[in-house]
Amino acid sequence: TSRLVEVENEIFDLFCSLNATDEQLEYRTIYAIGRDGWTGSSLPESTDNLAPDMTPLLDAIVSDLPSPKVEDGELRMLVSIMESDPSVHLGKLLLTGRIYSGSARQGDKIMVLNPNGDEVGESTIIKLFKRVGTQRVEIEEAHAGDIVTLAGIAGGRVADTICAIPEVAKGPIPSPKLDPPTISMFFSVNDSPLAGNKELSGGSKLTTQLLKERLIKETESNIAVQVLDSVPIDGRDCYEVQGRGEMQLGILIENMRREGFELSVSPPRALIKLDENGKKLEPIEEATIDVAEENAGLVMETLIARKGEMTDSYPSEDGTRRRSIFLVPTRGMVGLRSELIRKSRGDVVISTVFHG
């Protein structure tokens, strides 16, 4: 409970920054001790001999959360999660979402609509699953309000609408806009003289076909990654991979390296777009940096040198740390994390979110 008041104030400030209504700001607070499995509407004077009790949390969920709104008509479902599970053995994606209207059954014919209302393709529901605890259980039928997983759907992605054929005329279900990729790198196979050398490189997957299949597989479970068609560069096929930051692409590269791939990558570059007047637009990210008070000046100097603009800065309650918020162009974020870690001797916490 040492940071209880501070955390509650941060939650309230977060709601205010998200332009929450007065009704939303009157939220109920449930206190919990995860280690002991205890929840309560108020903190006890002593935590000794607390019996595990989740009743207050469950009661709050039932009383405060509204029941699902059910629409009239046949099946309409919005995809919110896309994943690939080899244990299902269907060779297709698993699409999870909430059913807004109608019901879904195994064998039903459905249509997939993208957020723009274009028809992606017609498919058949091969299997239907729901979650029971952490387990995925196969079911025969699901109804409006249920959150289910469909198997056997070709071409669907997050924010797409899955609907019965007669419901196509209603168009797609409105969905939150996904953040676009902000950075890209070119991937190609390793063509150095040491390629395939077991003593020096140790890789076993050396062909362009294997590289392409691995990148396409990544897009099936990671909606933030996009892979463009290959382009010839210096006599070899290269694939442009777009993502939401250098860390995301760095994780992909490290995973592929551990899987035995040998590849060459280009330096990251920010994705520049043109508006209707031909003016160049570059992505801007909101960076929140938490650092010791004595290193706050170094952080500010570093961000300003990278074209960053500070929008807010405030100290912690004990005055030992400072949290600053900057608007930084994506090209200024490349290499920023490692530089701040070095300057602060590792005592820094950085989080970023796409701003516009």
Side-chain angles (χ1 to χ4, degrees):
T1 61
S2 59
R3 295 185 64 245
L4 179 61
V5 176
E6 182 180 350
V7 171
E8 286 191 293
N9 290 337
E10 290 178 353
I11 293 174
F12 186 84
D13 292 341
L14 174 62
F15 273 67
C16 291
S17 66
L18 295 174
N19 297 322
T21 63
D22 292 340
E23 181 182 359
Q24 291 171 332
L25 291 175
E26 296 294 332
Y27 53 79
R28 186 196 300 194
T29 301
I30 302 295
Y31 302 93
I33 303 176
R35 177 192 59 205
D36 301 327
W38 176 88
T39 61
S41 56
S42 61
L43 283 175
E45 296 181 359
S46 173
T47 58
D48 297 334
N49 301 320
L50 280 178
D53 184 12
M54 302 297 290
T55 303
L57 175 60
L58 299 175
D59 288 343
I61 292 174
V62 173
S63 62
D64 291 12
L65 296 183
S67 58
K69 296 180 180 179
V70 176
E71 301 176 358
D72 295 330
E74 298 186 45
L75 174 66
R76 278 166 59 84
M77 167 182 159
L78 180 65
V79 179
S80 57
I81 300 176
M82 179 180 68
E83 56 186 325
S84 178
D85 188 351
S87 65
V88 178
H89 301 296
L90 293 175
K92 305 259 185 183
L93 295 178
L94 299 178
L95 303 178
T96 301
R98 186 169 74 87
I99 299 177
Y100 280 68
S101 65
S103 60
R105 303 175 185 83
Q106 293 187 16
D108 283 354
K109 297 287 185 180
I110 57 91
M111 178 66 71
V112 180
L113 304 177
N114 65 20
N116 297 324
D118 301 325
E119 297 182 4
V120 176
E122 184 178 333
S123 294
T124 301
I125 301 176
I126 298 179
K127 286 189 177 182
L128 194 62
F129 301 92
K130 72 173 182 178
R131 287 282 184 180
V132 177
T134 59
Q135 302 297 319
R136 181 182 285 129
V137 178
E138 185 174 351
I139 58 177
E140 295 292 333
E141 184 178 3
H143 302 279
D146 293 340
I147 298 176
V148 296
T149 299
L150 308 183
I153 310 300
R157 296 184 63 85
V158 171
D160 285 354
T161 297
I162 294 176
C163 63
I165 305 300
E167 298 289 315
V168 172
K170 291 185 178 180
I173 299 173
S175 61
K177 187 176 181 181
L178 300 177
D179 291 342
T182 59
I183 209 166
S184 74
M185 301 173 68
F186 283 94
F187 284 52
S188 64
V189 295
N190 179 18
D191 62 351
S192 72
L194 300 178
N197 188 304
K198 294 183 178 180
E199 296 181 357
L200 298 178
S201 62
S204 58
K205 300 176 181 178
L206 312 174
T207 65
T208 300
Q209 183 62 28
L210 290 175
L211 175 65
K212 177 183 177 181
E213 292 175 356
R214 177 61 179 85
L215 293 177
I216 296 301
K217 182 181 178 181
E218 183 69 20
T219 64
E220 294 178 351
S221 57
N222 191 339
I223 63 172
V225 172
Q226 298 180 13
V227 179
L228 305 186
D229 293 335
S230 64
V231 293
I233 299 179
D234 294 334
R236 55 181 175 175
D237 289 336
C238 298
Y239 296 91
E240 183 177 0
V241 181
Q242 300 178 349
R244 292 182 188 162
E246 59 173 342
M247 174 170 284
Q248 184 181 54
L249 296 184
I251 292 173
L252 171 60
I253 293 171
E254 178 61 19
N255 287 338
M256 293 178 64
R257 187 191 67 81
R258 295 183 181 186
E259 294 168 10
F261 285 89
E262 288 191 16
L263 63 154
S264 302
V265 296
S266 69
R269 64 180 182 89
L271 292 174
I272 306 296
K273 295 184 178 180
L274 300 177
D275 63 9
E276 58 274 9
N277 298 322
K279 183 179 179 180
K280 291 184 178 180
L281 302 176
E282 65 175 330
I284 303 294
E285 300 185 41
E286 181 181 273
T288 302
I289 301 174
D290 190 307
V291 70
E293 185 68 45
E294 60 267 22
N295 294 324
L298 289 174
V299 170
M300 187 176 299
E301 292 177 5
T302 303
L303 269 295
I304 291 176
R306 291 170 172 261
K307 308 299 182 183
E309 177 184 345
M310 187 169 67
T311 60
D312 196 6
S313 181
Y314 51 91
S316 60
E317 287 194 349
D318 58 7
T320 60
R321 302 189 68 81
R322 177 166 289 273
R323 178 170 294 181
S324 301
I325 302 175
F326 296 85
L327 295 181
V328 192
T330 296
R331 55 191 169 95
M333 293 296 300
V334 177
L336 174 65
R337 195 177 301 268
S338 59
E339 183 177 355
L340 291 183
I341 290 175
R342 176 174 54 82
K343 289 184 175 181
S344 65
R345 298 179 177 87
D347 186 17
V348 62
V349 178
I350 308 170
S351 60
T352 61
V353 64
F354 178 74
H355 178 73

